[in-house]
Amino acid sequence: MQRLSSTLRFLFQSVGLGLVVAAVVIITQPLWGQSESLRQTNSEVISFNQAVRKAAPAVVNIYSMGEIQGSYYQPQSSRVWRLGSGVIMDSQGYILTAHHVVDNVDQIEVALQDGRRYAAQLIGSDRYTDLAVLKIDADNLPVIPVQSTRRIQVGDIVLAIGNPYNIGQTITQGIISASGGRVGVSNSYSDLIQMDAVINQGASGGALVNTAGELIGINNARYNSAFGDGGEGIYFAVPYENARKVMTTLIREGKVVRGFIGISVNPNFSEEQSLSGILITDVEAGGPAAAAGLKRNDFLVAIDGEPVRSAPEGLDRVANSEPGTELEVEFYRDNKRMTTTVTVAELPR
């Protein structure tokens, strides 16, 4: 009887131990799979190859020839080639680039990445957004992918594609560090994307794309302070939506007409301050604002009956007004709220 009891106890202990081992195996098996999955993920290479393959063929090299005036040391003027980049926007051959790439030139040549070269016609340009539209007569053109519904955000990874120093198409990578407004650039008539993807000489006018290879901006320039020195890691691009609107207007009308009242403003006032609006820092003599009685240090709070929350918003409202439009402007002067009417003029080209 005692021997039977020992045998049964041994059997129960063996079965119990087996059940415990089985339970441990069942519980930890998913973790083994997860660990294996992590090992596989960590061994994968992060690559933007697919994005580049989609976008890069539509980014072209632009060579434009213009005359440089002579100087004291070299009196004779000379003709030189300028270098830039551009983006094929549709199969009809319209190309977006930077205004400064083709400003004051009389010959423009476009080189595709497949080796084809074409003479290009300047359809129109807009120095205030630093955009220009070219046209080439060609077929079977690679067109840049676009995705206007995808919102860009600070922290997004971006790729800048262009032809710096004519060394061949180059890709630089960075992140968006600011977007919307004029990110501190007070004389711009376009919202800007600020990023740290390098834009060297010759890459202006090229494509800024997201990691899906979709166009989100036209590369513009490196930041320069009022003293002329540049800031490392601070580069700009015109957002695609703004560039598309300018392109459409240039193709349809050949120029962009903007309203103008002749004021300079402090771009640093925003909604975050106790009183939102536009601080006027200067008034152009003989301009519409001066004729309406506006002065330096006046603080604009409403235009045409609508509150002004920031300087970019107010400038946009004026710029989008047809020349000849009368705008009622409300402002503060010496803590007194006042009203005047400004007749919008056309912004000089």
Side-chain angles (χ1 to χ4, degrees):
M1 189 69 180
Q2 185 175 359
R3 185 179 300 173
L4 178 60
S5 177
S6 299
T7 302
L8 289 174
R9 187 166 53 252
F10 173 77
L11 290 174
F12 284 134
Q13 288 176 345
S14 299
V15 171
L17 181 60
L19 291 173
V20 170
V21 171
V24 170
V25 171
I26 292 172
I27 292 171
T28 59
Q29 189 172 15
L31 297 178
W32 295 346
Q34 183 179 6
S35 177
E36 180 63 24
S37 175
L38 288 173
R39 283 197 296 272
Q40 291 175 354
T41 300
N42 291 335
S43 67
E44 291 176 357
V45 176
I46 297 174
S47 174
F48 303 120
N49 174 264
Q50 291 299 317
V52 172
R53 291 178 63 182
K54 289 178 181 179
V59 182
V60 300
N61 303 344
I62 296 177
Y63 304 94
S64 54
M65 179 170 281
E67 190 171 281
I68 294 181
Q69 297 299 320
S71 64
Y72 175 83
Y73 298 101
Q74 187 176 349
Q76 296 295 326
S77 61
S78 58
R79 289 173 58 78
V80 297
W81 284 100
R82 294 185 196 169
L83 178 65
S85 301
V87 184
I88 300 175
M89 299 302 297
D90 61 30
S91 59
Q92 295 180 316
Y94 286 108
I95 296 171
L96 262 175
T97 185
H99 163 80
H100 69 266
V101 169
V102 293
D103 184 32
N104 292 323
V105 300
D106 51 29
Q107 185 177 346
I108 305 172
E109 187 175 86
V110 169
L112 276 64
Q113 299 308 314
D114 60 12
R116 290 182 286 171
R117 301 177 79 97
Y118 298 94
Q121 175 190 0
L122 176 62
I123 300 300
S125 65
D126 178 42
R127 68 186 180 95
Y128 291 103
T129 55
D130 195 24
L131 292 170
V133 177
L134 308 178
K135 176 76 163 59
I136 59 173
D137 292 323
D139 53 16
N140 297 321
L141 291 172
V143 177
I144 193 82
V146 298
Q147 172 54 269
S148 58
T149 60
R150 198 191 306 274
R151 183 185 175 193
I152 62 172
Q153 300 181 83
V154 172
D156 285 353
I157 295 175
V158 290
L159 308 172
I161 309 176
N163 179 28
Y165 306 113
N166 202 29
I167 62 174
Q169 193 174 82
T170 301
I171 319 296
T172 58
Q173 177 257 327
I175 64 169
I176 294 176
S177 50
S179 66
R182 280 152 183 78
V183 290
V185 184
S186 60
N187 62 344
S188 172
Y189 274 77
S190 173
D191 290 347
L192 295 172
I193 300 170
Q194 179 184 325
M195 75 285 186
D196 62 354
V198 178
I199 309 297
N200 284 315
Q201 183 179 348
S204 293
L208 186 70
V209 302
N210 59 23
T211 53
E214 301 161 342
L215 182 70
I216 62 171
I218 300 297
N219 297 328
N220 181 282
R222 174 181 175 177
Y223 171 77
N224 283 299
S225 74
F227 303 100
D229 55 331
E232 291 298 327
I234 304 177
Y235 301 88
F236 298 106
V238 179
Y240 162 69
E241 273 302 308
N242 295 14
R244 181 187 61 80
K245 292 175 184 176
V246 171
M247 179 182 72
T248 301
T249 301
L250 289 174
I251 292 172
R252 184 178 64 244
E253 302 178 14
K255 65 176 183 176
V256 178
V257 176
R258 293 186 178 84
F260 164 78
I261 62 173
I263 60 173
S264 297
V265 304
N266 184 338
N268 297 320
F269 278 84
S270 67
E271 296 180 56
E272 297 175 0
Q273 291 172 293
S274 58
L275 183 63
S276 60
I278 302 177
L279 177 64
I280 297 178
T281 57
D282 196 17
V283 177
E284 182 178 305
L294 290 171
K295 298 180 179 180
R296 185 173 181 267
N297 292 325
D298 285 347
F299 192 75
L300 274 61
V301 293
I303 296 177
D304 207 23
E306 295 292 328
V308 176
R309 291 182 291 270
S310 66
E313 179 187 316
L315 291 176
D316 281 341
R317 200 171 299 170
V318 171
N320 292 329
S321 299
E322 291 285 337
T325 302
E326 292 187 346
L327 296 178
E328 184 180 77
V329 175
E330 298 176 47
F331 61 98
Y332 280 94
R333 179 184 296 165
D334 299 326
N335 295 321
K336 181 180 179 181
R337 193 175 181 107
M338 306 174 69
T339 302
T340 188
T341 300
V342 181
T343 301
V344 177
E346 180 177 344
L347 182 69
R349 298 183 65 205

